[in-house]
């Protein structure tokens, strides 16, 4: 029967440590007291997470997305200075978990973020502004939930007709609102998912879409090593800019490792981006074209070794965080793919490099980072964090260094 099937499913979850005994108690096929709705929420989350991961891995359309060929490209912009300072993307960061990292991988949302809020602001080229606000709260049964909103403001522009005559001005912006949910499975695994409605307004064109992120993280017993995998931006436009032209969002599969030295304040972070696409290598148009080929319009193909080397460098991001003393940390990252794509040939500067610092004093934190995209300039990212209550509810336990290090230390 339906009741017995539901009860058997709860027993299985209980054996795996997902729900407690009181939550899985079944009397006559019905849940006791007022805990049924809590089990339903968590049950829907676990089932939905499995479905999303399977659908995402099986979707040829999502896996075929390439940068610049999908809609809502602003989703690739790092949501916080912490992420920007580590090369722009991370799947796992280990210690110093602040609310900004939840937008990169929802599995990183931990009880240490309870009652924590963040407001961040980034200034990009040509007056483009990016802002993000987030808040996280621990639910009574131990799981984490959060809300966040972000906006990419492109500015106001002069509208002209085909003859060049002014016809007023118009605005262009993208806006998202995200719901986050995360949980710890035992002492070593954490998982999370986010759903994000998207609203876009570009002159007279409007679009609406939805994307989903889902991730998982492994934490070693001593808390020094973490590994994570996240599927980002699975979805696309529901109401497109123009009728009949629905597009996918820039789907991406990101994996990462982090390791903190036991007796030194260093954490090394290694990230692999675009695992769904192994044709990310970048060559300049004139890299393999000789004078004769230019006259004929032909272009020579790169050698196998060159293609392999370029592909290898297109995926990794290297970063390190340093906490020289309590309440303060430094970070530096390098994204080789960004450097190869945006650096000037024969005149490389700091393209692909990012760095930053943070000050975390009890319930207040300030983070700043700077990312170099092009020789013409860099982008600055600033965030303020604060917390209203304790970092975790009574009865919750965080093991390893992450329990005593970083934001919110009392």
């Amino acid at each position: 029967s339906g009741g017995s099937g539901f009860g058997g499913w709860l027993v299985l979850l209980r054996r795996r440590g997902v729900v407690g005994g009181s939550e899985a108690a079944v009397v006559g096929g019905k849940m006791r007291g007022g805990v049924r709705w809590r089990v339903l929420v968590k049950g829907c989350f676990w089932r939905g997470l499995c479905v999303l991961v399977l659908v995402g891995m099986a979707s040829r359309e999502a896996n075929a997305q390439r940068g610049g060929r999908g809609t809502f490209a602003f989703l690739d912009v790092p949501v916080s200075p912490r992420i920007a300072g580590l090369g722009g993307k991370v799947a796992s960061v280990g210690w110093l978990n602040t609310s900004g990292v939840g937008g990169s991988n929802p599995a990183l949302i931990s009880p240490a973020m309870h009652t924590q809020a963040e407001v961040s602001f980034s200034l990009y080229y040509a007056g483009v502004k990016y802002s993000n606000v987030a808040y996280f709260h621990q639910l009574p049964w131990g799981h984490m939930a959060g809300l966040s909103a972000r906006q990419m403001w492109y500015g106001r522009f002069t509208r002209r007709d085909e003859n060049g005559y002014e016809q007023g001005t118009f605005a262009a912006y993208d806006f998202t609102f995200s719901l986050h949910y995360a949980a710890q499975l035992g002492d070593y695994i954490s998982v999370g998912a986010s759903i994000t409605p998207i609203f876009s307004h570009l002159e007279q064109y409007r679009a609406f879409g939805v994307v989903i992120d889902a991730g998982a993280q492994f934490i070693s017993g001593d808390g020094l090593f973490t590994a994570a995998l996240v599927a980002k931006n699975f979805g696309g436009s529901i109401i497109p800019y123009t009728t009949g032209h629905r597009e996918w969002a820039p789907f991406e599969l990101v994996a990462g490792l982090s390791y903190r030295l036991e007796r030194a304040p260093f954490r090394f972070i290694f990230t692999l981006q675009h695992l769904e696409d192994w044709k990310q290598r970048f060559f300049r148009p004139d890299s393999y074209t000789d004078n004769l080929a230019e006259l004929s319009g032909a272009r020579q193909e790169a050698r196998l070794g060159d293609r392999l080397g370029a592909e290898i460098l297109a995926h990794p991001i290297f970063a390190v965080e340093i906490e020289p003393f309590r309440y303060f940390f430094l970070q530096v990252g390098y994204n080789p793919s960004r450097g190869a794509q945006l650096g000037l040939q024969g005149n490389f500067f700091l393209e692909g490099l990012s760095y930053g610092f943070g000050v975390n004093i009890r319930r207040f934190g300030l983070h700043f980072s700077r990312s170099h995209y092009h020789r013409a300039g860099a982008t600055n990212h600033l965030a303020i964090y604060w917390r209203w209550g304790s970092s975790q509810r009574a009865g919750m336990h965080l093991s390893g260094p992450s329990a005593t290090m970083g934001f919110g230390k009392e």
Side-chain angles (χ1 to χ4, degrees), residues 72 195-198 208-212 233-238 249:
F72 307 133
I195 181 169
T196 303
I198 305 168
F208 170 76
V210 176
V211 296
I212 296 173
N233 305 328
F234 178 73
S237 60
I238 297 176

Side-chain angles (χ1 to χ4, degrees), residues 6 9-10 31 35-45:
F6 184 65
W9 173 62
L10 291 174
M31 300 303 299
V35 301
R36 182 174 184 178
W37 66 275
R38 292 160 52 185
V39 177
L40 288 174
V41 170
K42 291 190 285 186
C44 291
F45 167 74

Side-chain angles (χ1 to χ4, degrees), residues 344-393:
L344 297 177
Q345 186 173 13
N347 193 19
F348 287 95
F349 184 55
L350 296 175
E351 295 86 354
L353 182 69
S354 58
Y355 44 86
F357 69 89
V359 178
N360 302 314
I361 303 177
R362 297 186 181 274
R363 301 191 181 191
F364 173 80
L366 175 67
H367 290 184
F368 173 82
S369 66
R370 185 173 174 86
S371 301
H372 289 267
Y373 286 85
H374 191 268
R375 187 179 179 86
T379 61
N380 297 314
H381 312 265
L382 178 67
I384 298 175
Y385 304 82
W386 69 93
R387 196 182 68 242
W388 281 282
S390 61
S391 60
Q392 54 186 15
R393 290 181 180 271

